[in-house]
Structures are given as C-alpha cells and as structure tokens.
Amino acid sequence: GAVVSQHPSWVICKSGTSVKIECRSLDFQATTMFWYRQFPKQSLMLMATSNEGSKATYEQGVEKDKFLINHASLTLSTLTVTSAHPEDSSFYICSARDRRVPINSPLHFGNGTRLTVT
Amino acid sequence: AQKVTQAQTEISVVEKEDVTLDCVYETRDTTYYLFWYKQPPSGELVFLIRRNSFDEQNEISGRYSWNFQKSTSSFNFTITASQVVDSAVYFCALSMTGGSYIPTFGRGTSLIVHP
C-alpha cells in the first residue's frame, strides 16, 4: 500500500530555534500534501495545503511566516517551524494525495511528529 | 459549512463487550464521503472505511460494522467483541466537492478496552 514517511518522529528543541519536519511519499507521487496539527485529546486541525511547485495555501489563523511549507518535489514536502515557542509544542501529521487515484480517495497519513519546545 | 460531531469523548469497555462510536455530520453538498480512521497510541492514522453519500448500505468487516443513515446524518461505527488492541482514538471524517475533498475531522473518540 501507499506509504508516507514522516521524519523525525519526535523532536525537542529550545525556544527560538527552527525545526524542519519532512514528509515523503515513498511509493507514489503526491501532487498535494496536507499538514495537520493535533493538540492533546483534540481533533486534527488542517494547517495548510501544499501543492508541488507552488506556494502553500494556509488555513485561516495559521501564520505562514511561522510555519514555512515547501513542496519541492512530487514526493517531498517540508514544514519548518521557525523561531519555535513552547506553544508550538504539538503533534504534527502530514498526509498525501496519490496523483494516480481519484481526488475523493482516502488520504495517506504519516506517523506524525511530536514537537516539544522547551 | 461542513462539520463532524463525535459527542463521545472517551469510552471505556471491558474486553468482549460491543461498543458503538457515534458520528453525526453536517453538509449542504449532496455528494460527499464519510470516513473512519483509527489512531493507535503510536500516532499514525489508519484508514478503516469510506462511504459515499449515495450508498447507504451498511457494511461489515470482521468485527467492525458501520451504519450509515442519511435521514439522521449519522455514520456510526460498531466494534463487536472488543479487544485490547482496539484501544485507540477513532476519528470520523467528512469530505466533499465543495471542500476539494479535504477531510474535516471530528474531535475523535478515545476507546479504552480493558482486559
């Protein structure tokens, strides 16, 4: 089946530093990838939609300068949390849409990244 | 606007009990898709099922069954003879044309199955 690899699985960083999270589709090409954020005991909140070769579309309330998204190839999207603060601590999950299947098909999700900012 | 409501925040059962997870959705689209995902403690989201709005037939897959009722805008999920390995957070999601088929998730129901 389609596999999405997300790296790292967890990361601890100090306030003020930047952290990059990678999302790779291993056995399929993804023209579109999505980044979600999940707070403890909360739902998945869509942060942005990332399209290969173009700028990401951010959801209302998500700071684009804070959460930099790059989708440089059909198999890789990155989320960089810039100047991280403790309130950025969360679980970040990416998902990818396989370009070979209909748009209404289920998305494939990565394993998520647990970010802790101290 | 689309919305998914999972009113049950947490359910605790003893192994072998049957359990039903509720999902109520709102949408103005006539064409839409409903999903259930499982999120075990490891964090990844595991796809369980997808139903389209034109297919109200209930589905059974092993110990899992789904009851889709458009009249009540519900898509409930039943686990029969629950097992400890079923312990996870379960998310119901909705996607539709108007939302570019990007799923909107409910808040999730945490299921704890005790041995």
Side-chain angles (χ1 to χ4, degrees), chain B:
Chain B
Q2 60 200 69
K3 184 179 177 182
V4 177
T5 301
Q6 293 180 257
Q8 303 150 310
T9 305
E10 184 175 297
I11 300 175
S12 184
V13 300
V14 177
E15 214 170 15
K16 296 184 183 177
E17 282 186 35
D18 298 347
V19 57
T20 295
L21 310 180
D22 298 333
C23 173
V24 174
Y25 62 92
E26 294 176 34
T27 178
R28 291 182 182 157
D29 278 29
T30 54
T31 302
Y32 53 88
Y33 294 83
L34 295 162
F35 304 81
W36 276 96
Y37 286 89
K38 175 181 180 180
Q39 186 180 40
S42 51
E44 79 276 20
L45 276 166
V46 178
F47 165 75
L48 296 178
I49 190 173
R50 181 187 74 161
R51 303 297 284 177
N52 74 58
S53 51
F54 300 106
D55 183 3
E56 285 193 74
Q57 207 168 22
N58 291 330
E59 183 157 338
I60 299 174
S61 176
R63 296 184 297 108
Y64 295 170
S65 62
W66 292 269
N67 184 342
F68 177 27
Q69 297 208 349
K70 288 180 76 171
S71 60
T72 55
S73 297
S74 66
F75 186 43
N76 296 338
F77 173 30
T78 298
I79 301 175
T80 304
S82 59
Q83 299 176 1
V84 173
V85 293
D86 295 328
S87 297
V89 179
Y90 291 86
F91 289 96
C92 181
L94 165 71
S95 73
M96 48 193 206
T97 308
S100 299
Y101 292 108
I102 300 173
T104 296
F105 289 85
R107 291 183 59 128
T109 297
S110 176
L111 174 64
I112 303 169
V113 182
H114 299 282

Side-chain angles (χ1 to χ4, degrees), chain A residues 53-96:
Chain A
S54 63
K55 290 184 178 180
T57 302
Y58 290 82
E59 295 299 301
Q60 194 172 10
V62 178
E63 299 176 59
K64 59 181 68 177
D65 294 330
K66 173 77 172 172
F67 300 99
L68 300 179
I69 291 172
N70 184 278
H71 193 159
S73 77
L74 287 171
T75 59
L76 174 65
S77 176
T78 60
L79 167 67
T80 301
V81 183
T82 63
S83 188
H85 288 102
E87 56 265 31
D88 298 326
S89 298
S90 192
F91 191 63
Y92 295 88
I93 307 177
C94 74
S95 65

Side-chain angles (χ1 to χ4, degrees), chain A:
Chain A
V3 177
V4 175
S5 174
Q6 192 171 336
H7 179 80
S9 299
W10 58 271
V11 56
I12 301 172
C13 70
K14 292 186 177 180
S15 287
T17 61
S18 295
V19 174
K20 180 186 283 188
I21 303 170
E22 292 188 348
C23 180
R24 294 181 184 273
S25 54
L26 297 186
D27 50 1
F28 66 97
Q29 292 182 329
T31 48
T32 306
M33 290 186 172
F34 305 91
W35 287 95
Y36 289 86
R37 181 173 181 177
Q38 185 180 25
F39 293 99
K41 298 186 184 294
Q42 297 283 328
S43 184
L44 285 78
M45 182 189 76
L46 180 66
M47 298 175 65
T49 301
S50 164
N51 292 298
E52 185 264 339
S54 63
K55 290 184 178 180
T57 302
Y58 290 82
E59 295 299 301
Q60 194 172 10
V62 178
E63 299 176 59
K64 59 181 68 177
D65 294 330
K66 173 77 172 172
F67 300 99
L68 300 179
I69 291 172
N70 184 278
H71 193 159
S73 77
L74 287 171
T75 59
L76 174 65
S77 176
T78 60
L79 167 67
T80 301
V81 183
T82 63
S83 188
H85 288 102
E87 56 265 31
D88 298 326
S89 298
S90 192
F91 191 63
Y92 295 88
I93 307 177
C94 74
S95 65
R97 177 171 278 162
D98 188 336
R99 68 185 301 193
R100 300 168 299 182
V101 301
I103 193 172
N104 54 28
S105 300
L107 299 178
H108 305 290
F109 286 84
N111 284 5
T113 297
R114 173 80 56 197
L115 170 64
T116 302
V117 185
T118 60

